[in-house]
Amino acid sequence: MSLIQKLAEFTKSKSDDGLFILPETYGKGYIKSFNFGAQLNMMISQCEFKEEMIIKRAGGNSRKEEITFSFRNLFQQDKTQDPDGLAAKRSIAMPSVQVSAGDIDIEVIIPEKTKINTIVITIHMDLLKSWINDKAENKFLNTITLSDKPYLYDQIISNEIELVASKIALVNSEEELSHFYLKLKTEEMIYLFLSELSKRETITNYPLNVADVKAMYAIKETLCSDLSNPPDLTHLAFISNMSESKMNKLFKQIFGNSIYNYYQALRMNEAAYLIREEKLSVSETGYRLGFSNLSHFSRIFEKHIGLKPKKYSAVPTS
């Protein structure tokens, strides 16, 4: 049963031609599915639930040949008002994409009154294999297309992927050739993500279970909750109920980076947002993110973003 069918059944409402409008008693927004054949489909979700929702996807042999790409936190930057009413602070929800095997159990907790902006693409393994050069020896692509073990990888997405996602969200599905256009953009999203994933230097495939996956995403949320203080690995291991060694291995396997380096990447992406969108000065940005040495902040920023903060702030926005 698809997500749209489950929600329609849960809310005692109907879906029309792959479109589900969330009833006002449960929230607002919509979910729309697109079928591009027996082996490729896409679902766009732009909604907000009044109460917490827990969505579970059971794995198993019936889904073993499926690969799911879940592009999350797209389309917009949310802001929440400071309790004192003095400033607006953006909620940190870094755009990212998760790719997982169909036979791994997934549990997603959607907090109440949180905007959901996602594109989920499901593709049959045979179709993806037909797109990729048989002679390709990239370990990540081989893991996705050849592995008989459950896997899950998560990556901060590139600006290119965000741009394609925004084009998808703006398409009027009633227009002529829109279905063809969306199919091409769906394929482009997969290509751009696989290009990013293939840049990872190492690959491991330790066994995963639902508890471990939930623990790793809880760590990610903890990192996002306070970018001004570096992560305390001992504390994170304690609340995850696992050794530091196991925690570090599983986090790097899923997110492609150590916990500290991932934290720094989040930090610099937030710095870029504050400089470009909020028009904060370099010093204000650095101090807000916990840097007491602005020269150090400038070096870290350049390493991650490619430009020094002052030069980045001077680049015209499109």
Side-chain angles (χ1 to χ4, degrees), residues 13 30 35 52 54 60 63 67 78 80 86 90 94 127 147 171-172 202 210 218 223 226 243 258-260 264 299:
S13 54
Y30 73 93
N35 191 337
E52 180 182 274
I54 299 177
R63 306 179 65 101
I67 303 171
D78 295 332
T80 55
L86 299 176
R90 186 169 69 107
M94 192 64 63
L127 179 58
S147 177
V171 169
N172 180 353
T202 59
V210 172
L223 298 181
D226 184 5
S243 67
S258 69
I259 292 174
Y260 183 77
Q264 284 288 51
R299 288 194 298 272

Side-chain angles (χ1 to χ4, degrees), residues 85 116 155 162 166 202-203 229 241:
I116 306 303
Q155 183 92 8
E162 286 195 79
S166 65
T202 59
I203 180 170
N229 289 302
N241 195 29

Side-chain angles (χ1 to χ4, degrees), residues 264-273 291 297 300-301 304-305:
Q264 284 288 51
L266 291 174
R267 211 177 181 195
M268 292 306 104
N269 274 276
E270 179 67 2
Y273 173 84
F291 287 91
F297 166 60
I300 299 296
F301 187 94
H304 285 266
I305 305 301

